Amino acid sequence: MPPTVSVLIPAYNGAPWLRACLESVLAQTYPAHEIIVVDDGSTDDTREVLRSFARHITLLEQRRGGIGAARNRAVAQATGDLLAFLDQDDLWRRDKLEKQVDYAVAHPEVAVIYADAEEFSDRGTVNASFLDRFPALRGPGDVFTAIIDRQVPLMTTTLLRASFLREHGLSFLESVSGVDDVGLFLEIRARGGRFGWVDEKLARRRIHEHNYSKNHHNRFARRVVLYEELLRRLPGAAPAHLRALRRGLREAHFLVGECAWAEGDMPEARRHFLAGWSPSARGARALLYWALSYLPNGALRRLRGTNRRLRAVLARPAGPLQSASR
């Protein structure tokens, strides 16, 4: 029998986009077994939009719990062999499910299947190819390391085998909503799950001012929590994966320190810079930033100004040799 597919969509204040999103699912050449939408405490017209699709979807409503909680609620309800995730503001190409189900049938050993996508905004195409931006996702290296290096499969393109999640008792970490997909991917890989991809643009990712990924502080701060949790949960993981997690934790601390530095919160910056120290180029930079954070505010402002001017000079294109000789 062909595998059944459950489409899972977390929704929060998604009224402007949900209609087009759901229409792209209903237009699939490989019909979904079920479409489960979890309204995560929306305060706009999301419910009204969803109720207009009542004949086609299973609508679950809950208090605001974050995208990880909404995804877990949908997974718990799903009955399909394969779980296809779609964000409320994104779109699928008509043959998205067909292409990925064909891959899943041909590669039964693969637990996670992702694909390429076009990124667009109201003004048109922003990036023609998601995978061109993140080439490590095309292999041949370990996807675990790629994800630690912030090259993460796009959830909107992802198809998971429900049996693998059930066998290993896996779910999204709700305490790190926004990078909950990162945690699930890492844990799947650490527990032996294989990843594969369809190298075609099967989805369109919408870029707009409300995208969670634009909040860099939240992304990196929650990666700190995520990596600490995974190190507790995966003590028996492969040594290469444990090394990657520890490196990722140090780098996340450094990036949170940079955010705190930019906000002028020097005690918070120092804490993260110290946690980000290691015998590496970035570790040395963390130690330097930690030391500089003790400078008086006036000196720090002058230092930032000098740094910006230096970057501007270095970014200028080189002039003719005659000009350089003067």
Side-chain angles (χ1 to χ4, degrees):
M1 294 290 292
T4 54
V5 179
S6 297
V7 177
L8 312 181
I9 305 173
Y12 175 70
N13 288 351
W17 313 293
L18 272 166
R19 186 171 300 280
C21 171
L22 286 165
E23 286 172 351
S24 78
V25 178
L26 294 173
Q28 291 296 299
T29 56
Y30 190 99
H33 165 65
E34 61 188 351
I35 304 169
I36 301 172
V37 184
V38 179
D39 180 11
D40 188 39
S42 295
T43 57
D44 67 350
D45 294 332
T46 289
R47 288 181 182 85
E48 286 66 31
V49 174
L50 294 176
R51 284 168 185 157
S52 70
F53 288 88
R55 291 192 306 111
H56 305 287
I57 69 173
T58 298
L59 173 58
L60 307 177
E61 298 180 327
Q62 63 183 32
R63 292 182 178 180
R64 178 75 170 141
I67 193 169
R71 285 170 171 163
N72 280 337
R73 179 90 183 273
V75 170
Q77 179 78 19
T79 60
D81 303 312
L82 301 167
L83 308 179
F85 293 85
L86 175 58
D87 288 345
Q88 64 182 6
D89 43 2
D90 295 338
L91 308 168
W92 280 348
R93 204 173 81 180
R94 292 186 70 248
D95 57 353
K96 190 266 187 189
L97 290 182
E98 181 181 354
K99 295 271 188 180
Q100 289 191 302
V101 169
D102 286 348
Y103 186 99
V105 171
H107 300 85
E109 76 285 0
V110 172
V112 181
I113 303 160
Y114 55 89
D116 199 1
E118 174 202 3
E119 296 179 296
F120 74 103
S121 71
D122 292 340
R123 297 182 179 181
T125 299
V126 176
N127 293 297
S129 168
F130 182 83
L131 293 184
D132 281 355
R133 290 179 57 211
F134 302 105
L137 294 177
R138 286 190 168 110
D142 189 342
V143 73
F144 191 98
T145 303
I147 293 170
I148 293 291
D149 292 333
R150 301 195 298 282
Q151 302 202 43
V152 184
L154 191 59
M155 203 68 199
T156 278
T157 73
T158 300
L159 198 69
L160 301 182
R161 290 193 192 273
S163 58
F164 190 94
L165 298 187
R166 289 194 294 268
E167 178 185 352
H168 295 278
L170 299 181
S171 61
F172 294 93
L173 291 175
E174 297 180 13
S175 60
V176 291
S177 274
V179 294
D180 50 290
D181 54 340
V182 174
L184 184 65
F185 289 149
L186 289 174
E187 195 158 8
I188 288 172
R189 183 70 194 102
R191 297 186 186 280
R194 296 183 62 177
F195 285 61
W197 68 96
V198 176
D199 205 350
E200 295 184 49
K201 286 176 274 192
L202 300 182
R204 301 184 74 215
R205 181 196 188 202
R206 191 186 305 270
I207 305 296
H208 55 84
E209 61 180 359
H210 300 295
N211 288 128
Y212 176 87
S213 58
K214 290 186 175 181
N215 189 326
H216 298 303
H217 181 272
N218 278 345
R219 288 171 59 210
F220 303 139
R222 292 180 185 183
R223 279 200 180 225
V224 169
V225 176
L226 170 63
Y227 293 154
E228 289 175 342
E229 175 64 20
L230 289 179
L231 285 167
R232 284 192 291 270
R233 292 168 67 133
L234 299 170
H241 291 168
L242 293 175
R243 287 194 299 271
L245 275 173
R246 294 187 187 104
R247 175 175 60 81
L249 177 59
R250 291 192 299 268
E251 290 178 352
H253 272 298
F254 175 80
L255 292 166
V256 176
E258 280 196 322
C259 292
W261 172 288
E263 294 295 323
D265 187 349
M266 292 308 161
E268 181 73 357
R270 288 182 203 119
R271 183 172 74 85
H272 286 287
F273 286 144
L274 278 180
W277 182 86
S278 68
S280 66
R282 175 160 281 184
R285 190 178 171 194
L287 198 58
L288 174 62
Y289 275 37
W290 171 81
L292 291 174
S293 72
Y294 284 96
L295 291 173
N297 287 337
L300 281 172
R301 283 194 295 271
R302 289 193 296 274
L303 182 64
R304 289 194 188 102
T306 301
N307 192 35
R308 283 194 296 269
R309 288 192 294 274
L310 180 59
R311 287 181 179 177
V313 169
L314 293 175
R316 291 175 191 163
L321 287 176
Q322 304 95 298
S323 300
S325 64
R326 292 198 209 105

